[in-house]
Amino acid sequence: MQKNTDLHLHSCFSMATSPDMLPENILSGCRTKGIHVIGSGDALHPEWRRMWKPFVENAYGITVVPQTEVEDSSRVHHVILAETFDQFAELQELFTPACTHLTTSGRPHLHMNGEAVASAVHEVGGIIGPAHAFTPWTSLFAAYSAPSECYGEESFEFCELGLSADSTYGAGIAEFADVPFLTNSDAHSPTPVKLGREFTRMEVAGDTPKAVLTAIRDNAVVLNAGFFPEEGKYNHTACTRCYAQFSLAEAEALHWKCPHDKGRIKLGVRERAEKLSTLAEPTVRPRYVKMIPLGEVIARVLDVSSPNTKKCAAMYCRFIEAFDNEIAVLLEVPFADLCSVSPEVAEAVVKMREGRVTLIPGGGGKYGSFEF
């Protein structure tokens, strides 16, 4: 059975997250979005594990996979998945000597290198992969030039691309040749604009976390969906102060210092991926679908400031009532049917599907934008 999965998010215990990031709200948001499998977020936090207990079996039939994100001693972030919350209780004990805030922070910093973190994860039967691997801060390729430099003798079972990259960015990297790419939301809010904004569709033989982990190990990805990479805030090489963008050659000639305000020029995800790609023939990957959250599409069509306005929310609800969930609206419902709710929004959705979108690339920490 093909399932839409979002396997990286956070709880109300993580920094800069919404207080509404609670299990019941996350599940409700998944139902609206069209997500069938969700990561729990922050499973090393004992109170968060307790809060999930009444919702692991839920009325929506959504599979909850115990999951967390950690930062290692090189500031590399990792996504960890397991079959049970008890495995995370074991992992908490293994990590306790390397962290003083496991019971207070949703996303802990561990005084361990990537190899040691992966070893502990594998010891309890979990799987691990780099989070938002290409971003220029707190990522695998911010610190290293190859995954093996981070994980050493330990394996890693997947790679999360992140919001500034699609599958073409990693297809030319030799050490990723047999590794599945996951696209996840990294959501800090349960609103449909954030939750499931990137997802992975996989062939999963069951409704259990074990079946999901098996699908990842078997590289059963059939589709990745996510942002146009240009929308990511680190896609292009740019100044971190004024956000002026530069080519790689220009940045090197300027010694990575902005001529406008002397700010630091940060290497963009696009250029970093190009430098890392060494395969003469990139590996063949499942289809990557570029999508924009429906709320943002509607807001642009209605010319309102935010998807959270009453006017936008009302239109959004009309689409969900008519077609069940947002992913179906964005990717599957025929144009003629969409027109029954709003011809203008229908036209914008089709333009998005066909890539007929004008993109203003992000860089240096400023998100990119789009126009129809």
Side-chain angles (χ1 to χ4, degrees):
M1 183 183 299
Q2 292 189 1
K3 293 180 178 288
N4 298 331
T5 72
D6 181 1
L7 295 171
H8 179 186
L9 64 153
H10 290 280
S11 73
C12 55
F13 296 106
S14 279
M15 186 183 301
T17 54
S18 167
D20 294 330
M21 206 62 172
L22 302 170
E24 56 267 42
N25 296 337
I26 292 168
L27 291 171
S28 177
C30 285
R31 172 63 188 86
T32 300
K33 193 77 177 193
I35 295 294
H36 310 119
V37 178
I38 192 69
S40 68
D42 300 352
L44 285 168
H45 195 290
E47 178 63 12
W48 186 241
R49 294 197 299 269
R50 186 194 67 78
M51 290 169 67
W52 263 114
K53 280 186 179 179
F55 299 98
V56 171
E57 300 291 331
N58 55 81
Y60 301 110
I62 293 168
T63 303
V64 180
V65 177
Q67 167 264 319
T68 199
E69 179 185 16
V70 300
E71 181 179 301
D72 71 19
S73 55
S74 297
R75 300 199 68 206
V76 175
H77 286 199
H78 309 266
V79 175
I80 300 168
L81 304 170
E83 294 178 22
T84 69
F85 284 108
D86 287 343
Q87 287 171 292
F88 272 100
E90 294 178 46
L91 203 54
Q92 180 188 338
E93 292 186 15
L94 292 176
F95 286 159
T96 293
C99 183
T100 59
H101 53 268
L102 280 174
T103 59
T104 57
S105 175
R107 187 186 64 199
H109 174 87
L110 307 176
H111 296 286
M112 304 168 70
N113 64 24
E115 184 175 21
V117 173
S119 176
V121 171
H122 293 144
E123 182 177 335
V124 304
I127 63 176
I128 189 172
H132 41 75
F134 292 94
T135 53
W137 308 100
T138 62
S139 76
L140 173 69
F141 292 125
Y144 302 103
S145 296
S148 58
E149 295 176 8
C150 175
Y151 293 109
E153 296 301 314
E154 291 292 324
S155 63
F156 62 101
E157 286 72 31
F158 59 87
C159 170
E160 181 185 76
L161 293 173
L163 304 183
S164 291
D166 63 22
S167 51
T168 64
Y169 285 50
I173 296 173
E175 289 190 21
F176 283 161
D178 299 315
V179 175
F181 290 155
L182 301 186
T183 34
N184 302 311
S185 69
D186 196 358
H188 289 210
S189 163
T191 63
V193 172
K194 302 298 184 183
L195 195 65
R197 59 186 172 176
E198 297 211 347
F199 71 89
T200 309
R201 184 171 292 170
M202 290 189 285
E203 192 71 43
V204 183
D207 297 324
T208 64
K210 181 178 181 179
V212 176
L213 267 63
T214 297
I216 294 171
R217 290 187 175 106
D218 292 345
N219 201 350
V221 175
V222 296
L223 178 146
N224 293 98
F227 282 20
F228 288 85
E230 292 86 351
E231 291 184 86
K233 60 182 178 178
Y234 297 111
N235 187 258
H236 280 206
T237 297
C239 174
T240 56
R241 246 184 232 169
C242 70
Y243 309 118
Q245 296 187 4
F246 304 89
S247 69
L248 179 58
E250 289 171 335
E252 290 173 340
L254 291 166
H255 303 288
W256 302 94
K257 183 172 286 189
C258 178
H260 308 299
D261 60 6
K262 307 304 179 186
R264 181 182 182 185
I265 299 174
K266 197 65 178 173
L267 180 66
V269 169
R270 182 185 61 172
E271 289 83 8
R272 180 64 168 147
E274 289 174 355
K275 292 178 70 174
L276 292 165
S277 296
T278 58
L279 294 177
E281 291 292 333
T283 53
V284 177
R285 292 286 174 172
R287 186 165 65 106
Y288 189 105
V289 176
K290 314 286 178 62
M291 69 177 195
I292 299 166
L294 181 59
E296 293 186 9
V297 173
I298 294 172
R300 193 58 54 92
V301 170
L302 297 181
D303 194 24
V304 296
S305 60
S306 164
N308 299 321
T309 62
K310 289 183 179 180
K311 188 176 180 181
C312 186
M315 178 69 77
Y316 182 91
C317 287
R318 287 175 59 195
F319 274 100
I320 300 305
E321 288 169 1
F323 306 114
D324 187 68
N325 67 79
E326 180 179 332
I327 289 172
V329 172
L330 291 175
L331 304 186
E332 295 153 7
V333 177
F335 172 70
D337 293 343
L338 295 176
C339 284
S340 67
V341 176
S342 168
E344 294 80 13
V345 173
E347 183 178 355
V349 168
V350 169
K351 284 182 178 179
M352 179 205 71
R353 292 176 182 176
E354 297 175 351
R356 293 185 289 123
V357 178
T358 300
L359 297 165
I360 299 91
K366 181 180 179 180
Y367 282 107
S369 59
F370 66 92
E371 296 175 355
F372 291 116

